[in-house]
Amino acid sequence: MIKNQILCLGLSRVELQTLYIRFPILYQFYQVQSEDFDDIQKIKMMVSESVCLFINPKKLNGLQLNDLLREHKYAAAHTHTSVLLFTSAFTKEQRYEVDTEALHRVDLKARFDKTLRDAVEFIRKASMPCWDGLKRMEGNMFNDGWYLLDLTSTGLDPTSDEVIAITIAFMGQYELREKETIYIKPSRPLTADDEAITGITNEMLENGMSKEDAVSYLDNLPHPSPFIIETEKYDYPALKALYHFCGKKFDHPYIAIDGLAAIAFGYKLLRRSSDLVKAVSDKMQLYIPEEERYIAELYALTLAVFENLRDRYDVRCPGQFKSLYFGETHCCD
């Protein structure tokens, strides 16, 4: 994987100390110089082979800044990109020369900065293994088979909200082969707001499975394949709570694809994993029924991530995942 490098340009000692405190010790900080941004090849390496770039824009002229943004945009759409954060306000001339509206600004001297907090959280999550049950799936090649799970719940709190539907799609030989949705009876009727937000009605749940039957269904799927969920933060706690309700432990081998997507395509402060790269949208069909869109996005994201890991890192099965977290590549000196 990318050596855990955070590159900094024009930061004060106090600002650097703030970063040292906020980031885990495994990250390494390197100072880069303004002259490095005169070399396109060095810029390409900086934006594609680091975890994060903290830039004081006052250290760059308009040409250097435009080169940086152009290469960062290209890397974000085609290969891998770092988080790009600016630590100072842009000058009047820079705002005239460059579209700065979509750029992220952090204040390293403030006691609390939301953008910095979000960046640290996202990078920290992506630096940790995003799989579970590795020993049970390390020989499973990417095209051997995976179950993609799309969970619908009444909210985001697994201690009080309930999973009411699970779409299960089997991905084998890089193709989406089987798909079905099971509905799960909640302990209480859905509110009108629940119906409006989820698109699922009480009538649809009337003949749904019990939680126990739903768990049994997941435990006895026909293929002995790992699960793929989108996020460790929301999907895993929901599955864990569903199993806990039935007096069981969720112990299926699984991968949270958002963590792998961050490694494969870079670290971006976006809400949806499917927004990470152009490669995902290229794998989407032109027309997808609305009720199937989420699982189609999850499939396209999974396919794009697996292909990137194979082509960029020569990772072809889960048994090689460790190299993504503990291997090294080289950035600019």
Side-chain angles (χ1 to χ4, degrees):
M1 182 195 167
I2 308 304
K3 193 174 181 179
N4 293 320
Q5 294 176 329
I6 296 174
L7 306 183
C8 306
L9 171 67
L11 271 61
S12 68
R13 184 174 300 178
V14 172
E15 290 174 326
L16 285 171
Q17 188 63 36
T18 298
L19 296 182
Y20 296 156
I21 293 172
R22 295 297 298 271
F23 281 89
I25 195 171
L26 61 92
Y27 293 101
Q28 302 175 41
F29 290 82
Y30 293 89
Q31 293 272 22
V32 293
Q33 306 301 318
S34 300
E35 300 79 46
D36 293 328
F37 293 84
D38 293 327
D39 187 330
I40 293 297
Q41 294 305 314
K42 281 192 175 182
I43 294 176
K44 288 180 177 180
M45 292 180 68
M46 284 189 283
V47 300
S48 65
E49 296 194 11
S50 63
V51 171
C52 192
L53 274 168
F54 287 93
I55 302 291
N56 181 343
K58 293 182 172 60
K59 300 295 182 177
L60 300 178
N61 59 44
L63 179 61
Q64 291 172 318
L65 188 55
N66 271 307
D67 286 343
L68 169 64
L69 297 180
R70 184 184 65 253
E71 295 301 330
H72 187 269
K73 182 178 180 180
Y74 181 87
H78 295 89
T79 56
H80 177 284
T81 185
S82 62
V83 175
L84 181 59
L85 301 173
F86 292 92
T87 63
S88 182
F90 293 94
T91 66
K92 183 178 179 180
E93 292 76 15
Q94 287 173 329
R95 290 196 299 270
Y96 177 77
E97 297 172 332
V98 177
D99 181 10
T100 62
E101 290 298 320
L103 302 179
H104 294 289
R105 165 87 191 281
V106 292
D107 185 353
L108 298 182
K109 297 177 182 177
R111 293 188 61 184
F112 173 81
D113 185 273
K114 183 179 184 303
T115 301
L116 178 61
R117 183 202 65 184
D118 291 346
V120 172
E121 179 182 356
F122 191 85
I123 293 170
R124 186 194 302 267
K125 178 181 68 174
S127 71
M128 301 298 293
C130 55
W131 36 258
D132 188 65
L134 178 65
K135 286 294 183 184
R136 287 177 287 165
M137 63 176 172
E138 61 183 4
N140 187 90
M141 297 301 290
F142 288 149
N143 61 347
D144 282 351
W146 303 82
Y147 281 109
L148 312 182
L149 301 186
D150 168 21
L151 278 63
T152 303
S153 64
T154 55
L156 300 178
D157 185 350
T159 63
S160 58
D161 297 311
E162 301 177 82
V163 177
I164 55 175
I166 304 176
T167 298
I168 307 161
F170 181 70
M171 173 183 170
Q173 299 295 323
Y174 282 162
E175 296 179 357
L176 206 56
R177 296 186 168 187
E178 305 164 15
K179 183 182 71 67
E180 61 181 320
T181 298
I182 61 173
Y183 294 99
I184 306 170
K185 289 182 179 179
S187 58
R188 57 186 181 277
L190 302 184
T191 65
D193 286 343
D194 290 336
E195 291 183 322
I197 292 172
T198 64
I200 297 173
T201 65
N202 285 303
E203 288 74 17
M204 296 167 66
L205 298 174
E206 189 173 339
N207 297 315
M209 294 182 177
S210 67
K211 291 181 173 62
E212 291 78 7
D213 287 343
V215 165
S216 178
Y217 190 88
L218 291 176
D219 287 343
N220 293 284
L221 290 168
H223 305 286
S225 300
F227 292 163
I228 289 181
I229 56 177
E230 184 182 3
T231 68
E232 186 83 25
K233 186 174 183 179
Y234 298 115
D235 295 318
Y236 173 68
L239 281 170
K240 185 178 177 182
L242 176 62
Y243 272 71
H244 180 74
F245 180 89
C246 302
K248 301 184 71 174
K249 179 182 179 181
F250 177 74
D251 61 356
H252 288 270
Y254 73 90
I255 291 173
I257 200 66
D258 62 336
L260 278 181
I263 291 172
F265 294 121
Y267 308 85
K268 295 185 69 177
L269 303 181
L270 297 174
R271 292 180 178 273
R272 293 293 302 278
S273 298
S274 57
D275 293 332
L276 278 172
V277 287
K278 182 176 180 292
V280 174
S281 59
D282 287 347
K283 298 181 186 303
M284 296 285 289
Q285 299 176 6
L286 292 178
Y287 172 74
I288 301 170
E290 191 60 36
E291 63 272 15
E292 298 181 8
R293 178 160 295 277
Y294 184 88
I295 203 70
E297 290 180 350
L298 184 58
Y299 164 70
L301 175 63
T302 300
L303 184 57
V305 168
F306 283 178
E307 290 179 347
N308 183 286
L309 295 182
R310 178 194 64 202
D311 298 339
R312 182 179 174 87
Y313 300 105
D314 196 31
V315 170
R316 299 172 181 271
C317 68
Q320 299 172 324
F321 280 0
K322 288 182 180 179
S323 66
L324 297 173
Y325 298 96
F326 304 111
E328 292 186 0
T329 62
H330 298 285
C331 192
C332 54
D333 295 327

